[in-house]
């Protein structure tokens, strides 16, 4: 999408333009006799083209919230809407289509395929496999010369950057990134946050990151704090 197009879209949809909407969303895990409320009645609206960070202590439900937003997990109770559609009512095929076409997800633990090279990991989810484009992303995030390395041959920070490149290659309209700078030194963290900021500013991509890093949160427009499965 070029700049003028994104502006027109933004203007014409500026009223109540929620890409993601959580309505009284619960995620309850049963562990033996114990129930864990990973999400406890979350109400949250995310506007198109916004850049949000989620902060909060370990176990407060940040990853679970992001997994529901990415249609990787379904609410136990309540409603989660993407572009106005209740994702629980979509077919598995339609959910997969949204995940593939609209969402770029950066996993907290990267989820790279250990037998595949960095380049192959980035190429794998591409709707239209394009090695040059995949290489371009790897170079942009500082992995020039490491395309053929297996994840085990890369540092944690390098693996994290491969997982970020993989999330970007299909030009998603929504990026959900779980602690995307968690393994990065401050220089690389700034590069990654700069790339996300540019996608947000220039292409209107809606972005949510989970982070513990106040410097990363500074790049975002809004900070949401979570405690005990809910938003403060
Ligand atoms: N698959 C699961 N099974 C059981 N409990 C889970 C599962 N995923 C998360 N939890 C629990 O839900 C709570 C929230 O977890 P999580 O969303 O990962 O928190 P955060 O990302 O903020 O650290 C924690 O108590 C965690 O142990
Ligand atoms: Mg987490």
């Amino acid at each position: 999408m070029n700049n003028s197009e994104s502006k027109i879209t933004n203007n014409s949809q500026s009223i109540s333009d929620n890409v993601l909407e959580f309505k009284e969303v619960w995620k309850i895990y049963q562990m033996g006799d114990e129930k864990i409320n990973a999400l406890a009645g979350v109400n949250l609206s995310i506007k198109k083209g916004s850049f949000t960070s989620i902060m909060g202590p370990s176990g407060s439900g940040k990853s679970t919230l992001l997994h529901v937003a990415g249609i990787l997990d379904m609410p136990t109770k309540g409603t989660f809407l993407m572009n106005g559609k209740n994702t629980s009512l979509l077919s598995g095929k339609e959910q997969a289509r949204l995940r593939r076409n609209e969402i770029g997800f950066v996993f907290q633990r990267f989820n790279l395929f250990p037998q595949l090279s960095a380049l192959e990991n980035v190429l794998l989810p591409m709707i239209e496999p394009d090695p040059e484009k995949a290489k371009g992303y790897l170079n942009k995030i500082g992995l020039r010369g490491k395309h053929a390395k297996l994840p085990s041959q890369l540092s944690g920070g390098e693996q994290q950057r491969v997982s970020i490149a993989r999330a970007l290659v299909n030009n998603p309209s929504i990026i959900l990134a779980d602690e995307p700078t968690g393994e990065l030194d401050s220089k690389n963290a700034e590069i990654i946050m700069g790339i996300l900021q540019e996608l947000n500013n220039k292409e209107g991509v809606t972005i949510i990151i989970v982070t513990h890093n106040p410097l990363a949160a500074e790049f975002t427009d809004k900070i949401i704090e979570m405690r005990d499965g809910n938003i403060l």
Side-chain angles (χ1 to χ4, degrees), residues 70-122:
I71 326 183
L72 298 163
D73 253 334
M74 287 295 149
T76 312
K77 282 194 286 181
T79 309
F80 171 68
L81 305 155
M82 180 172 288
N83 294 321
K85 285 185 191 161
N86 181 344
T87 55
S88 296
L89 302 178
L90 298 174
S91 67
K93 222 175 172 177
E94 180 64 8
Q95 291 174 0
R97 195 198 66 76
L98 281 174
R99 278 197 298 269
R100 198 172 167 84
N101 292 289
E102 303 297 334
I103 303 166
F105 202 99
V106 180
F107 291 90
Q108 189 168 4
R109 290 178 225 288
F110 320 143
N111 291 11
L112 299 176
F113 284 92
Q115 329 76 321
L116 300 183
S117 69
L119 178 59
E120 287 164 342
N121 266 288
V122 176

Side-chain angles (χ1 to χ4, degrees), residues 31-211:
M31 299 288 280
D33 291 341
E34 203 193 343
K35 278 197 164 104
I36 298 166
N37 295 329
L39 296 178
V42 170
N43 289 297
L44 174 66
S45 298
I46 300 291
K47 293 239 179 300
K48 187 179 170 67
S50 60
F51 194 175
T52 308
S53 47
I54 300 178
M55 303 188 84
S58 181
S60 57
K62 305 180 301 295
S63 292
T64 306
L65 185 87
L66 219 58
H67 289 166
V68 171
I71 326 183
L72 298 163
D73 253 334
M74 287 295 149
T76 312
K77 282 194 286 181
T79 309
F80 171 68
L81 305 155
M82 180 172 288
N83 294 321
K85 285 185 191 161
N86 181 344
T87 55
S88 296
L89 302 178
L90 298 174
S91 67
K93 222 175 172 177
E94 180 64 8
Q95 291 174 0
R97 195 198 66 76
L98 281 174
R99 278 197 298 269
R100 198 172 167 84
N101 292 289
E102 303 297 334
I103 303 166
F105 202 99
V106 180
F107 291 90
Q108 189 168 4
R109 290 178 225 288
F110 320 143
N111 291 11
L112 299 176
F113 284 92
Q115 329 76 321
L116 300 183
S117 69
L119 178 59
E120 287 164 342
N121 266 288
V122 176
L123 271 170
L124 192 68
M126 283 183 92
I127 296 166
E128 292 167 49
D130 178 346
E132 292 314 309
K133 188 178 173 189
K135 287 177 192 169
Y137 274 101
L138 285 169
N139 295 343
K140 188 170 178 176
I141 58 170
L143 292 179
R144 191 182 290 277
K146 306 222 162 155
H147 299 181
K149 299 270 191 233
L150 296 173
S152 60
Q153 298 169 317
L154 297 171
S155 71
E158 289 168 341
Q159 291 176 50
Q160 183 153 48
R161 284 182 280 155
V162 174
S163 80
I164 291 164
R166 179 181 60 183
L168 304 182
V169 281
N170 286 329
N171 303 321
S173 61
I174 303 164
I175 294 172
L176 305 168
D178 202 346
E179 307 198 19
T181 65
E183 294 282 332
L184 303 183
D185 56 55
S186 58
K187 178 174 146 268
N188 278 306
E190 220 166 281
I191 290 170
I192 293 301
M193 290 310 298
I195 291 170
L196 293 178
Q197 193 172 49
E198 190 176 322
L199 287 169
N200 174 252
N201 278 340
K202 295 207 177 140
E203 296 179 34
V205 178
T206 307
I207 306 179
I208 307 179
I209 64 164
V210 167
T211 188

